[in-house]
Each structure stands twice: as structure tokens, then as C-alpha cells.
Amino acid sequence: MTSETADPLQFRHTAHPLGDPRRWLALPVLLTGAFLPILDFNVVNLALPAIRQDLGATVSEVQFVISAYAATYAVFLITGGRLGDLFGRRRMFLLGVAGFTIASVLCGIAWSPAVLVAGRILQGLTATAMAPQVLASIRVLFPAAEQGRALGYYGATFGLANICGQVLGGVLVSAHPFGLAWQAIFLINVPIGLAAFAGGLLFLTDSRAEHAQRIDIGGVILLSLMLGLLVYPLIQGRETGWPIWIVAMLLASPLVLGIFVRFEANLSARGGDPLVALHLLRNSDFVIGLVMALAFYMLSSFYLTFAVYLQNGLHESPLTAGLATLPFAIGFFLASLVSPSVMQWLGVRTLTLGFALQVIGFGSVMLAVGGALPHSLTIGLVCGGLGFGTVMPSVIKAVIGSIDPRHAGLASGMMISTFQIGAALGVAVIGGIFYSLLGLRPDADDYAHAFTIALGCNVALLALGGWLSLWLPREPAT
């Protein structure tokens, strides 16, 4: 579910009036850089039961495989965009692709859970060097008349990556190519990464921002520390019995958040370029949007809990589990194609519609798993996917409508980072609820009960998001 729907600096990019002569050859290369981070977020969920069995991983280590990636992506995303502005987007894109490929190799040969988590952190870090350059480069390479078409392909890439993530993960884990099992989901990135790197060398033209912002190293360190102090205890606390030091870490996280806020405020007062533009938080509509985005993206736990329920609870194969999530991915893909038109018609109430579809869809999934409506699973997944695909392309555009256009890039960057923080917290909090309900010797009914309760938490958060969307100004988006 990891997504980069808008570049934090997109609103300052100006395309050449005639466009780059190799722009259509460069586009597939750039789209690969948008495809890989999303693919790797989704594909790993179906392999988690196999990873746990093969590496002897604990439940918390399995959760870290997802949340460590999302948290790293959240912290460094804006910095990655600034590095592209400073040192050249082609250079950072190539560095990111090369690093992501190497990190995928490390994940694929991981001999322990700790090595796998380290590889996932490196994947998240290198993805932030690669992904922000994609939309920035499209804005520069293509003339205004062609940007709509190029951005249409860019948007479709996210739906395609979600579909491939569900199906490809199941196929690779089940087919055991070259004698590999879960390792194949990471090693498949190697030929893709090599092709993207070669294409980048051949077809990409470098560009930089005229007035690039400086890197807020202190802000990155403090935000990383705050998320670590929050996410680690939430995942590890249950297995360790909540010792004093775990509780102390959790209590320290809001203190570090306060230090981070003070640091960012002081940096801004000195004329620096803070990682987070605190002045935007004075806008109540924007704050509502951030809370809505956080609640929305905690749905990341659904991918984890559904895969575990299907494979461990119902003893389905990874391929069958992947195909079971296909209705959701197809719904997401179809809705993402029509969402811009719906947004023009309904404005920000498109978000209310999307949240409502998700509440109805995932509510139906809960009833299906619980046995009340046994035949509603597929319909519920399609409905949930339609809702997700309706919200995802529209949420940033709707929320930043209340922001001064000069700060729209900063606002979109904060929104995207909030998505990833939500993804990490969803796996940590709701994933923790799921595993705590299973007990020591769970049977199929225990898995169904735990999944239903966990998904119920997501439905409540989605209902909160729908309610918050009603508070946004009703002006139609343009």
C-alpha cells in the first residue's frame, strides 16, 4: 500500500515547452521507480507465513518486516525529494534504483529475521531516493500538453502494482522458482532493477531545482527516534511482557515528539528549511486531513491479517491467498481510473463516498468471515477496493485545496509521510491486537475471530475518516 501519489516538491517543477526528445522512452523507466516500492510493500504480506516458518521468526519480527519499511519510508521521503533537487534527480534516481536492488538481494539471501528486517529498512531508505524523483522528473521532461497523459500512466502504475503485489506474491511463493520460496519475492526485483538502471543511464535527463531546500538532518534524526520509540514497543511489548524499559520507550516517544516540534520551530525561525512546516498546522482543514490520512492508511494491517487468516487459519496456499485478495486490487484499480472524474463532480465529498464504500465493503467482509453473510466476501472486497481507489488519488488534492499554493508541495509531502506513518502504526497496533487474540494454540475459529476484530478496528477508523471528510470545505476540486 505504500504510495507516492504526489511529489513533495511537484508544484515548483516547470516543464520545458517542447519536452525532452527521449521523454517517452524515459517514462517506463521512471514508472518502474514508482512501481517497485508499492510492489514490495504488498508482495511481502503473502510470504509472511513462509518467512516465519523458514527463518523461525517471532510474531513481532514478522510485523517489523512491514512496519520497518513503512516507517523508514515515512521519515526519509521528503529528504529524498530535497536530495534530488540539490544533487540532480537523475543521479538520485539511479542511486535509489541501485540501492533498492542491492537491498532486495540482501532480503533475498537473509539468513535470519534480523538480517531481513535490516534489508527491509535499507529498501525503505533507498526507495525514498528513487520514488520522489519520478513525478518531479515527469513534470520537467514533458510539456504541459502531454503531462496529463503521462500522469495518467503514473496513476495507473499504482493500481497495477497493487494487483501484481497480490498475485505475484502468491505465484512466486507457491511456484518455488529455481528452488526458492519466499526469497523469490525479493530477488525478482534484481532483473527489474538492473533494467531500470540501464534505462535510466540511457534515457533520463538530469534536472535540479533552481532554489533547492537544505536538508534538515536534525529533524530527520528526531523524527526517526520518535517513530522508533513508538513503533518498537507497540510491536515488541506483547511478546516481552511489557517490561519497564519497553514502557519507558513508549512514554518517551511523546517527549521526543515535543523536542522535534521545538527543533523544527526554532529552525524555521532562523530561516532554515524544516522537515515539517509547522505553520501549516495552524490550518484546521489541513490538520483534519492529516488525521484522516492517518486513519485511512492504518488499513495496511488488513493485508497482514488477511494473509495470515487465509494461510494459517484456513490453510490456503499462498497462491490461493493472493487470488483471494484480487477482487480488492481490481476494485482499487478500476476506481483509481474514474476517481478524477468523480472528484470533479463531487469535490471533497468524493472522499466521503470512498470512505463509505470501504465501511460497507469491509463490514461485509467481517460478516462473511463471521458466518453471518458467507457469500459476501468477494462483493465486500470489491466494494472495499472501490472505496480505497476512490480515496487514494483524491485525498491529497482535496486536502491541499485549503493551503496557499506556495506551500502546496510542503503540504503534499507531509500528507504522504503521514500515510506511511499510518501504515507502520496500523501493522503495529492493529496487527498486535490480531496476534494477541490468537492465543497459544489457535484454530480456524480463533483466526476468524481475531481477523474479524482487527478488521473491525479498521472499519471504525474508516468511519472516523468519513466523518472527518464532512468537515472539509465543500468547494469542488479543480
Side-chain angles (χ1 to χ4, degrees), residues 92-444:
M92 290 307 301
F93 179 84
L94 292 174
L95 180 63
V97 170
F100 194 87
T101 304
I102 294 171
S104 298
V105 172
L106 178 60
C107 291
I109 64 172
W111 56 90
S112 71
V115 174
L116 180 56
V117 171
R120 291 287 285 171
I121 291 173
L122 184 59
Q123 275 191 320
L125 182 63
T126 53
T128 62
M130 171 176 61
Q133 319 313 326
V134 177
L135 190 53
S137 297
I138 289 175
R139 296 279 185 179
V140 172
L141 294 176
F142 287 84
E146 295 179 351
Q147 281 189 11
R149 181 182 172 192
L151 292 174
Y153 290 128
Y154 174 77
T157 299
F158 296 106
L160 181 63
N162 273 276
I163 293 176
C164 290
Q166 305 309 314
V167 178
L168 187 62
V171 169
L172 291 175
V173 176
S174 298
H176 296 274
F178 304 105
L180 301 170
W182 59 267
Q183 296 89 343
I185 68 171
F186 298 111
L187 296 179
I188 191 67
N189 294 334
V190 176
I192 299 175
L194 291 175
F197 188 84
L201 289 174
L202 292 172
F203 304 126
L204 287 185
T205 301
D206 207 2
S207 64
R208 305 186 187 197
E210 294 181 6
H211 304 289
Q213 291 182 304
R214 289 165 288 181
I215 307 301
D216 178 12
I217 297 176
V220 169
I221 293 173
L222 288 170
L223 185 58
S224 302
L225 180 60
M226 188 276 293
L227 279 178
L229 290 171
L230 177 62
V231 172
Y232 184 85
L234 290 174
I235 292 178
Q236 195 71 22
R238 182 181 52 83
E239 287 194 352
T240 57
W242 294 100
I244 296 295
W245 63 273
I246 283 281
V247 176
M249 287 180 66
L250 193 59
L251 294 176
S253 61
L255 298 177
V256 177
L257 176 60
I259 296 172
F260 169 73
V261 171
R262 178 63 63 88
F263 179 87
E264 296 292 275
N266 291 338
L267 181 61
S268 179
R270 297 195 305 269
D273 298 316
L275 186 67
V276 173
L278 297 177
H279 67 275
L280 296 180
L281 300 181
R282 301 190 191 103
N283 185 314
S284 60
D285 292 335
F286 183 63
V287 173
I288 289 173
L290 291 179
V291 177
M292 184 174 63
L294 189 72
F296 169 59
Y297 236 68
M298 286 182 74
L299 188 64
S300 61
S301 61
F302 163 73
Y303 290 85
L304 166 66
T305 57
F306 194 48
V308 173
Y309 161 68
L310 291 173
Q311 294 184 57
N312 292 355
L314 301 185
H315 305 290
E316 302 284 6
S317 68
L319 177 58
T320 303
L323 293 175
T325 58
L326 194 57
F328 174 82
I330 291 175
F332 168 48
F333 180 70
L334 293 176
S336 65
L337 297 179
V338 301
S339 180
S341 299
V342 178
M343 189 73 179
Q344 289 183 346
W345 177 41
L346 294 179
V348 296
R349 294 299 172 258
T350 303
L351 301 178
T352 310
L353 173 64
F355 279 113
L357 287 171
Q358 289 179 92
V359 169
I360 294 170
F362 289 116
S364 299
V365 172
M366 291 174 60
L367 293 174
V369 173
L373 291 174
H375 302 296
S376 65
L377 180 62
T378 299
I379 296 175
L381 288 171
V382 171
C383 186
L386 289 171
F388 191 89
T390 301
V391 172
M392 188 70 252
S394 309
V395 61
I396 294 180
K397 186 176 182 181
V399 172
I400 64 175
S402 61
I403 298 295
D404 189 311
R406 295 174 300 170
H407 305 306
L410 290 172
S412 63
M414 290 173 64
M415 285 287 293
I416 297 167
S417 293
T418 301
F419 285 152
Q420 307 313 318
I421 293 173
L425 290 178
V427 171
V429 177
I430 300 178
I433 293 172
F434 171 80
Y435 281 112
S436 67
L437 292 171
L438 287 179
L440 296 177
R441 298 180 182 274
D443 56 20

Side-chain angles (χ1 to χ4, degrees), residues 433-459:
I433 293 172
F434 171 80
Y435 281 112
S436 67
L437 292 171
L438 287 179
L440 296 177
R441 298 180 182 274
D443 56 20
D445 290 338
D446 293 327
Y447 278 102
H449 174 70
F451 171 72
T452 302
I453 296 300
L455 188 55
C457 295
N458 285 126
V459 170

